[in-house]
Structures are given as C-alpha cells and as structure tokens.
Amino acid sequence: MPRPVVLVSHDPAWAAQAEALGAGVRAAGAGVFRAVHHMGSTAIPGIPAKPVIDLLAEVEALEAVEGAQASLAALGWRWRGENGLVGRRYFTRDDPATGTRVAHLHVYASGDPAITWHLAFRDRLRAEPATAEAYAQEKARCAALHPDDSAAYTACKQAWTDAVAAEAVRGVGIVGPRAEGRQSLISGTWKINGLEDVSAFPEI
C-alpha cells in the first residue's frame, strides 16, 4: 500500500531529539554500539523533511545487535531484521499514543561503505547551503509529482541524490555500486518492490 509523502519545514528541535534517541540507544546497547549518528534530511538544517528521525549506528559486528534487541524493545524500538538491505539491521520506533512513526535506526558494521555514503552526503549538504537548497527544490518537485506514493517519490529524486553522493564520497575513496539489494553509491536503485516497509529507506 503506497504511503503519502509528508514533508514539513525543518524543525531545529530535531537535532536534540536525535541526540536523546541516540543516547537511549547507546545506553540500551552498552558496549555494542561504537557510535550513533543523526543522518538523513532531519539532520540537514534548512531543508524540508519527513518528520521522522533517522539514526545510523555502528557496531563491531552485526551479530552483536541481537544481544541488544530486548533492551531496545523496552524503549519502543521494533526489530525489522535487514528489511531489504543486505548488511544492515533495522529498527523502527512509533509514538505509543498515536502509532505515528517517529524514528528509524539503521545499524551497520563499522567499515561498511553505507556509513560513509550517508555521512558524506549529510556533511556536504550541511557545508553547502546552495546544494542543500537545490535538494530542497528537488524534494518539492518529486513530492508534487508523487504526493501519494513515498516509493515513487524516493525513486524520483534518486538520480539527484546519487550524483551528489558520488561527488561527496570520492574524497574518501569509495567508488562503484554496492551489492544487490542495497542502495547504490553512484548509480543503481533502492530495492523497493516487495519490502515489508518502504519507510526502511532513510529520508535523505
């Protein structure tokens, strides 16, 4: 079932919310999570975004995440497994009162190229307001074309995000596509069809 695209103006409170969520994750998985980063559009000041916080957590090995599942569940994080992206472990968190999605947690083993891809893209847009504004315009264009289909919206802006991410990651020595079933670094597509939850893909 397609999900509508909901974009809101940037909320400065998102940074503090991400920090609080990240602190909870680190405490729940004491000794498991090496770092927790705020990524995606909510991490980039000044651009509209879906009002859902995306966190990227690094672990030594993905197997270690299993030991933290119960503690994370106690905080409201729902385990989703890979959910369509090989090499990732994924959790979602909903507001207990409304059922509204409030956060995603994407877990990768340290050294996975996905970490550099997401953080390089984020950091470039943080450092370049003109590029961030161009992305805001691309998001608005795709939302106008596909207001009722989040998957189509994501696919619409794929070429833009791939091109900018490619430039961002060249400086850290990453090139080429990733394995099938994961988003590309330079070209290729998200594997969307058949996923349990299209929102598994961060709102970059």
Side-chain angles (χ1 to χ4, degrees):
M1 184 83 178
R3 295 181 181 223
V5 177
V6 178
L7 297 178
V8 301
S9 299
H10 183 83
D11 186 345
W14 284 336
Q17 292 170 14
E19 180 59 34
L21 287 167
V25 167
R26 288 190 294 271
V32 173
F33 298 105
R34 304 178 69 179
V36 180
H37 311 277
H38 184 194
M39 71 169 184
S41 289
T42 61
I44 302 166
I47 70 170
K50 297 175 186 176
V52 180
I53 302 295
D54 277 292
L55 299 179
L56 186 158
E58 298 183 45
V59 294
E60 182 67 29
L62 289 176
E63 292 75 16
V65 181
E66 297 178 6
Q69 282 187 48
S71 297
L72 289 169
L75 295 178
W77 291 102
R78 180 184 174 190
W79 167 255
R80 300 279 193 148
E82 288 186 343
N83 204 51
L85 293 182
V86 177
R88 178 189 68 165
R89 298 296 180 268
Y90 176 61
F91 297 80
T92 59
R93 183 170 176 173
D94 299 337
D95 184 312
T98 66
T100 302
R101 181 65 47 81
V102 296
H104 303 142
L105 174 62
H106 311 259
V107 183
Y108 291 95
S110 293
D112 191 301
I115 298 170
T116 301
W117 193 93
H118 286 297
L119 299 185
F121 183 90
R122 179 202 68 184
D123 291 347
R124 179 171 180 188
L125 268 63
R126 281 178 170 179
E128 300 179 5
T131 305
E133 175 56 29
Y135 185 40
Q137 294 176 13
E138 177 68 1
K139 286 158 68 78
R141 182 185 74 84
C142 291
L145 289 172
H146 308 285
D148 300 315
D149 190 335
S150 285
Y153 161 77
T154 298
C156 175
K157 60 191 180 72
Q158 170 93 38
W160 195 98
T161 57
D162 272 356
V164 173
E167 294 177 1
V169 300
R170 283 191 188 109
V172 289
I174 297 179
V175 295
R178 292 191 226 173
E180 183 179 357
R182 302 169 69 184
Q183 73 272 40
S184 69
L185 291 171
I186 294 176
S187 63
T189 59
W190 290 101
K191 185 179 179 182
I192 294 174
N193 295 332
L195 278 183
E196 172 190 351
D197 183 0
V198 169
S199 66
F201 302 109
E203 209 323 86
I204 61 170

